[in-house]
Amino acid sequence: MRTMHADTIIEARWVLPIVPQGVVLEDHALVLREGRIALVAPTAEVRADWTADDVVSLPNGLVMPGLVNLHSHAAMNLVRGLGADLPLMDWLTTKIWPAEGKLMSPEFVEEGSWLAGLEMASGGVTTTSDHYFFPDSAAKGLRRAGLRCAVSAFTIGFPSAWAKTDEEYLERALDILETYKSGGMVRATVAPHAPYTVSDATLARCAELSEKYDAPIHMHVHETAGEVADSIRDHGVRPLERLQRLGLVNDRLISVHSVHLNDADIAMLAAAGASTCHCPCSNLKLASGFSPIAKLLAAGVNVGIGTDGAASNDKLDMLGETRLAAMLAKAVAGDTTSATVHEMLYAATMGGAKALHWDAEIGSLEPGKAADVIAVDLSGVEALPVQDPAAQLLYAAGREAVTHTWVAGELIATQKQSRSFRGNISAESLQSVARKWQNML
Amino acid sequence: MRTMHADTIIEARWVLPIVPQGVVLEDHALVLREGRIALVAPTAEVRADWTADDVVSLPNGLVMPGLVNLHSHAAMNLVRGLGADLPLMDWLTTKIWPAEGKLMSPEFVEEGSWLAGLEMASGGVTTTSDHYFFPDSAAKGLRRAGLRCAVSAFTIGFPSAWAKTDEEYLERALDILETYKSGGMVRATVAPHAPYTVSDATLARCAELSEKYDAPIHMHVHETAGEVADSIRDHGVRPLERLQRLGLVNDRLISVHSVHLNDADIAMLAAAGASTCHCPCSNLKLASGFSPIAKLLAAGVNVGIGTDGAASNDKLDMLGETRLAAMLAKAVAGDTTSATVHEMLYAATMGGAKALHWDAEIGSLEPGKAADVIAVDLSGVEALPVQDPAAQLLYAAGREAVTHTWVAGELIATQKQSRSFRGNISAESLQSVARKWQNML
């Protein structure tokens, strides 16, 4: 066979392609060419057939698709740390909204989104679906950090520096949808803030825009018990039923949070082919409640994972978020077999990609897809011994173990941890002690 | 004033002494001498009065007491990763117990505890209260890593490589209590495994040993709903009531897990001056349930935090555990004002120290106490901008941000993260962007 030339070859101890689900390949390599995955094959075969400008060898590394953060407010990195432990409404009215009021501008959104993008990039996020004012500035900041992103054609029933009236929000939403309709590295979602902050008329208009542009609907839904009760009081129905009547519950809906769901709500989402975005840290910290993830998975609803913004989380850490999602789902269901390692790693990658209707391009390591790839080092003392790489990626390794993040074949972030211990112990000596006991099993 | 000489001076941007609670000192320094904290004072004053062999300057660092892991099974680091997603009994009977059966020996416990100790040390744990077979080997391994520790005078109603019969367990427990009774860097707890695995007669004997040696009682209590139901079936009372009758519910009790507590149980623990150890990751991952932390705190029960073992967690990450504890307590209570930042950081340090009756020596940065100190860097992109150092230590920084860990004045671990981003952005330039917006608030 003639030798072929690639841009990058990544040789890894383990490859977790996500599709097919549940598979961990050993000693495989990824061949990246022109921003895409050309091949996933045993390293020996790749070495025989390919050369590359750059060969990255990861003898202790696990390679997987980049994480898809299905719900962020990236610019809110700049208001991180404000108002811990306050009641929700005090937190919003005395801290977050005044801060946003003072700072809001295209520059604020661009620079905040850039910092958030760097935080996400070094922790293995390659795509984020953002939801905020000045979405074109968010796109600039996130692209400056190297991320792929979906930004929000945003509407809310309150005046802001971005728009004053429903009509103005919708005009700007239309601009955003037009700007990003051709795809590429930035796409747009139709993003009415929440059922309780957007009027029926505007929601109906959002449904039309979503259909016209074939754009996902990115919306906070059923986040709190109060929101559900208020909707019954004000509209006579639960928020999801109202959204259904207005034409928003379909396979383009990304129902963010979805904490307070009854069985009928779950059945409605499943029948519609809708997606949910689970943000467990935010739901816990804001005392919103517990999303029934095991029930949603069992009903066949597509589940993605999101970090929410740094004001309510305060980490844009998709690996940590997914770990918590898995653990919490087990406790909520009272069943350790719920929310398996492979289901949850799928949610954090393909789940998000499918919700964004971007799964033809991203979410798994399959030839032809974009080269959005991350590498995680499993040789640290936190992950030893490696008896189940996928489980230990999720449960033992943290985002600090992400060593490389590629988006469309470009290496956008690298990270390395150096440690020393009393007695100057080498990393290799720790690994060999762990391996000794592992080999006795 | 005459210049005095110290072993180490740590100059920090922020000092979180834990006692007094809720205080963050700015631009203060710690003076360490002969393994103890000699002084906590403004850096300018310390510079005027002191010299030292080693001056550690941390212009972006927060310094706080080392974290006290109130419940570990350190050697189980060597069985990490086994049996993810199995039902609890299958996990134990097909994975964990057979693995322990094959490997159990003094060498296994020492080496596993050593690896766990290194993991804990680099993540800011300075003391761990361990619970396992071959506790003298656990002490050796943990001390080799540099940690202070309490080890378990362990009893369980099943034969093991450590002991075969109740009598033999009690003999060995007595040996352990004698060995470590003089204090120093290793202490002992009386550690009956759990109410459902230890007989009345042995529990009564444990109560006597605890009293005689003034040693804490380190025991899994009310971890699962099944355990409570079984006790009512077999003993006619809930486990805590049985323990009370046998003399174990007093101010030496560390009731580990304490998931399934009714109001009477909480009142009993509070009246006795007992402590609980909260292990939220383990409780979620094993689908045990949700400990009522807000109620325990409100009742005045001393709460500490523990990681449990790597088999069920799988991170010995006290900062992450405490973060989850805080968030989860809010969601369980339905109240964002529960489990405040300062309450939870207290739990992770002084809470553990008090439970171990070791708070005269460790748990806070007070002159005269042991120099068990950690430093956390808050200049990474994950923590910017620093608007509330204590909140951001808990919620935004991870264990990877721990840069230095001192135990009794000895630097046992250091850690440093190096990052690069596309465009070769300097860390300073990120900090200045974040600071620009922070200064506008």
Side-chain angles (χ1 to χ4, degrees):
Chain A
M1 188 173 175
R2 188 172 64 84
T3 297
M4 289 166 289
H5 193 73
D7 297 323
T8 304
I9 292 172
I10 310 167
E11 302 179 350
R13 176 75 181 88
W14 301 282
V15 173
L16 180 73
I18 298 295
V19 176
Q21 206 176 331
V23 168
V24 178
L25 306 166
E26 297 201 37
D27 298 318
H28 271 56
L30 264 71
V31 177
L32 311 187
R33 212 155 54 155
E34 294 172 5
R36 299 198 168 266
I37 298 165
L39 182 69
V40 182
T43 300
E45 290 177 22
V46 169
R47 286 185 180 174
D49 297 339
W50 290 83
T51 57
D53 292 350
D54 196 16
V55 177
V56 179
S57 181
L58 305 165
N60 298 302
L62 180 148
V63 163
M64 66 178 291
L67 302 164
V68 177
N69 186 352
L70 192 52
H71 183 61
S72 65
H73 308 286
M76 295 188 86
N77 264 44
L78 288 172
V79 294
R80 172 154 43 202
L82 295 181
D85 302 324
L86 290 178
L88 182 61
M89 284 316 295
D90 288 0
W91 175 68
L92 287 172
T93 59
T94 72
K95 296 289 178 182
I96 298 300
W97 292 343
E100 288 183 327
K102 273 188 200 162
L103 304 179
M104 189 61 65
S105 69
E107 190 190 357
F108 168 76
V109 174
E110 183 177 339
E111 294 195 346
S113 300
W114 174 57
L115 290 175
L118 297 175
E119 178 185 356
M120 289 191 265
S122 69
V125 174
T126 53
T127 298
T128 192
S129 175
D130 206 57
H131 196 289
Y132 210 54
F133 307 94
F134 296 100
D136 46 348
S137 302
K140 273 188 208 157
L142 291 165
R143 287 297 306 136
R144 188 159 27 132
L147 262 67
R148 189 185 299 274
C149 59
V151 295
S152 58
F154 179 73
T155 58
I156 190 167
F158 307 110
S160 70
W162 169 243
K164 302 297 172 203
T165 63
D166 280 15
E167 263 325 293
E168 202 182 343
Y169 274 107
L170 285 167
E171 276 165 36
R172 288 179 167 266
L174 194 60
D175 280 352
I176 295 295
L177 289 163
E178 276 294 322
T179 303
Y180 301 113
K181 72 179 177 186
S182 57
M185 298 298 285
V186 183
R187 295 191 178 186
T189 61
V190 175
H193 172 262
Y196 58 93
T197 51
V198 183
S199 69
D200 279 8
T202 300
L203 287 171
R205 196 73 188 94
C206 286
E208 290 166 20
L209 289 173
S210 163
E211 186 166 0
K212 178 175 171 195
Y213 287 91
D214 194 21
I217 301 162
H218 181 187
M219 187 173 191
H220 304 89
V221 177
H222 287 221
E223 180 174 4
T224 66
E227 167 195 344
V228 176
D230 290 353
S231 175
I232 292 169
R233 183 193 64 202
D234 298 340
H235 301 281
V237 291
R238 295 164 70 80
L240 268 171
E241 191 172 339
R242 178 166 157 248
L243 295 180
Q244 190 183 39
R245 290 180 188 178
L246 293 166
L248 288 96
V249 180
N250 53 48
D251 70 353
R252 291 184 303 276
L253 177 64
I254 305 167
S255 172
V256 177
H257 295 306
S258 297
V259 171
H260 296 275
L261 298 180
N262 62 24
D263 290 347
D265 297 329
I266 293 172
M268 187 197 295
L269 292 170
S275 294
T276 67
C277 174
H278 182 36
C279 305
C281 283
S282 172
N283 298 160
L284 296 183
K285 194 177 175 217
L286 299 179
S288 305
F290 303 91
S291 179
I293 292 300
K295 283 189 183 182
L296 285 162
L297 290 170
V301 176
N302 179 53
V303 174
I305 311 283
T307 59
D308 212 342
S312 62
N313 180 328
D314 316 358
K315 292 187 179 187
L316 308 189
D317 173 6
M318 276 290 293
L319 257 185
E321 200 77 31
T322 307
R323 178 182 196 259
L324 175 56
M327 298 192 302
L328 194 60
K330 292 172 188 290
V332 168
D335 180 357
T336 58
T337 69
S338 297
T340 64
V341 166
H342 286 285
E343 279 177 319
M344 298 315 285
L345 292 171
Y346 185 95
T349 51
M350 274 299 283
K354 284 169 83 169
L356 292 168
H357 290 212
W358 217 337
D359 51 311
E361 285 281 300
I362 60 172
S364 61
L365 301 181
E366 295 177 271
K369 280 200 175 182
D372 288 14
V373 182
I374 64 172
V376 184
D377 181 78
L378 295 180
S379 70
V381 69
E382 295 83 358
L384 298 176
V386 183
Q387 327 217 46
D388 180 337
Q392 288 172 251
L393 162 73
L394 180 62
Y395 282 116
R399 66 171 166 179
E400 67 276 14
V402 174
T403 55
H404 300 72
T405 304
W406 288 269
V407 173
E410 183 196 2
L411 186 61
I412 65 165
T414 64
Q415 175 170 245
K416 196 178 159 187
Q417 202 142 19
S418 59
R419 296 224 170 102
S420 67
F421 297 110
R422 73 202 298 244
N424 280 322
I425 306 152
S426 72
E428 292 68 28
S429 70
L430 301 183
Q431 290 155 24
S432 77
V433 169
R435 217 164 7 238
K436 176 180 78 178
W437 294 100
Q438 184 179 13
N439 290 341
M440 283 190 228
L441 284 179
Chain B
M1 187 175 175
R2 187 173 64 85
T3 296
M4 290 167 289
H5 194 74
D7 297 324
T8 304
I9 292 173
I10 310 168
E11 302 178 349
R13 176 75 182 86
W14 301 281
V15 172
L16 179 74
I18 298 295
V19 175
Q21 205 176 332
V23 168
V24 177
L25 306 167
E26 298 200 38
D27 298 318
H28 270 56
L30 266 70
V31 178
L32 311 187
R33 213 152 59 151
E34 293 172 7
R36 297 198 170 266
I37 298 164
L39 183 68
V40 182
T43 299
E45 291 178 22
V46 169
R47 285 186 181 175
D49 298 341
W50 291 83
T51 57
D53 292 350
D54 196 18
V55 177
V56 179
S57 181
L58 305 167
N60 299 301
L62 180 149
V63 163
M64 65 176 291
L67 301 163
V68 178
N69 186 352
L70 192 52
H71 182 62
S72 65
H73 308 285
M76 294 186 86
N77 265 43
L78 289 172
V79 294
R80 173 156 38 206
L82 294 181
D85 303 323
L86 290 178
L88 183 61
M89 284 316 296
D90 287 1
W91 175 68
L92 287 172
T93 58
T94 71
K95 296 289 177 181
I96 298 301
W97 292 344
E100 289 182 327
K102 273 189 199 161
L103 304 179
M104 188 61 65
S105 69
E107 188 190 0
F108 167 76
V109 173
E110 183 177 339
E111 295 197 343
S113 300
W114 175 57
L115 290 175
L118 297 175
E119 178 184 356
M120 288 191 266
S122 68
V125 174
T126 53
T127 297
T128 193
S129 175
D130 206 59
H131 197 288
Y132 211 54
F133 308 94
F134 296 100
D136 46 348
S137 302
K140 274 188 209 158
L142 291 165
R143 287 297 305 136
R144 186 157 30 129
L147 261 66
R148 190 184 298 275
C149 58
V151 296
S152 59
F154 179 75
T155 59
I156 190 166
F158 306 110
S160 70
W162 170 244
K164 302 296 173 207
T165 63
D166 280 15
E167 264 325 295
E168 201 181 344
Y169 274 107
L170 285 166
E171 277 166 35
R172 287 179 168 266
L174 195 59
D175 280 352
I176 293 295
L177 290 162
E178 277 294 321
T179 302
Y180 301 112
K181 72 179 176 185
S182 58
M185 297 297 286
V186 183
R187 294 191 178 185
T189 61
V190 174
H193 172 261
Y196 58 92
T197 50
V198 183
S199 69
D200 280 9
T202 299
L203 286 171
R205 196 75 186 92
C206 286
E208 291 166 19
L209 289 173
S210 164
E211 187 166 4
K212 179 173 171 197
Y213 287 92
D214 194 20
I217 301 162
H218 181 188
M219 186 173 191
H220 304 88
V221 178
H222 288 219
E223 181 175 2
T224 66
E227 166 194 345
V228 177
D230 290 352
S231 175
I232 292 170
R233 182 194 63 203
D234 298 340
H235 301 281
V237 291
R238 295 165 69 80
L240 268 171
E241 190 170 340
R242 176 166 158 248
L243 295 180
Q244 189 183 41
R245 291 179 187 176
L246 294 166
L248 288 95
V249 180
N250 54 48
D251 70 354
R252 292 185 301 277
L253 177 63
I254 305 167
S255 172
V256 177
H257 295 306
S258 298
V259 172
H260 295 275
L261 299 180
N262 62 24
D263 290 347
D265 297 330
I266 294 172
M268 185 196 295
L269 291 169
S275 295
T276 67
C277 174
H278 182 35
C279 305
C281 284
S282 173
N283 297 160
L284 295 184
K285 195 177 175 216
L286 299 180
S288 304
F290 304 90
S291 180
I293 291 302
K295 284 188 182 183
L296 286 160
L297 289 169
V301 175
N302 179 52
V303 174
I305 310 282
T307 58
D308 211 344
S312 62
N313 181 327
D314 317 350
K315 291 187 181 188
L316 309 188
D317 173 7
M318 276 290 291
L319 258 185
E321 200 79 27
T322 307
R323 177 182 197 260
L324 175 58
M327 298 192 303
L328 194 61
K330 291 172 189 289
V332 168
D335 181 357
T336 58
T337 69
S338 297
T340 64
V341 166
H342 286 286
E343 280 178 318
M344 298 315 285
L345 292 171
Y346 185 96
T349 52
M350 274 299 282
K354 285 169 82 169
L356 292 168
H357 290 211
W358 217 337
D359 51 310
E361 286 281 300
I362 60 172
S364 60
L365 301 182
E366 295 177 272
K369 280 201 175 181
D372 289 13
V373 182
I374 65 171
V376 183
D377 180 78
L378 294 181
S379 68
V381 69
E382 295 83 358
L384 297 177
V386 183
Q387 327 218 44
D388 181 338
Q392 288 173 251
L393 162 74
L394 180 62
Y395 283 117
R399 65 171 166 180
E400 67 276 15
V402 175
T403 55
H404 300 72
T405 304
W406 288 270
V407 172
E410 182 195 2
L411 185 62
I412 66 164
T414 64
Q415 174 169 247
K416 197 178 159 189
Q417 202 143 18
S418 60
R419 294 224 172 103
S420 68
F421 296 110
R422 73 202 297 246
N424 280 323
I425 307 152
S426 72
E428 291 69 27
S429 70
L430 301 183
Q431 289 155 25
S432 76
V433 170
R435 218 165 7 238
K436 176 180 78 177
W437 294 100
Q438 185 179 15
N439 289 342
M440 283 189 229
L441 284 178

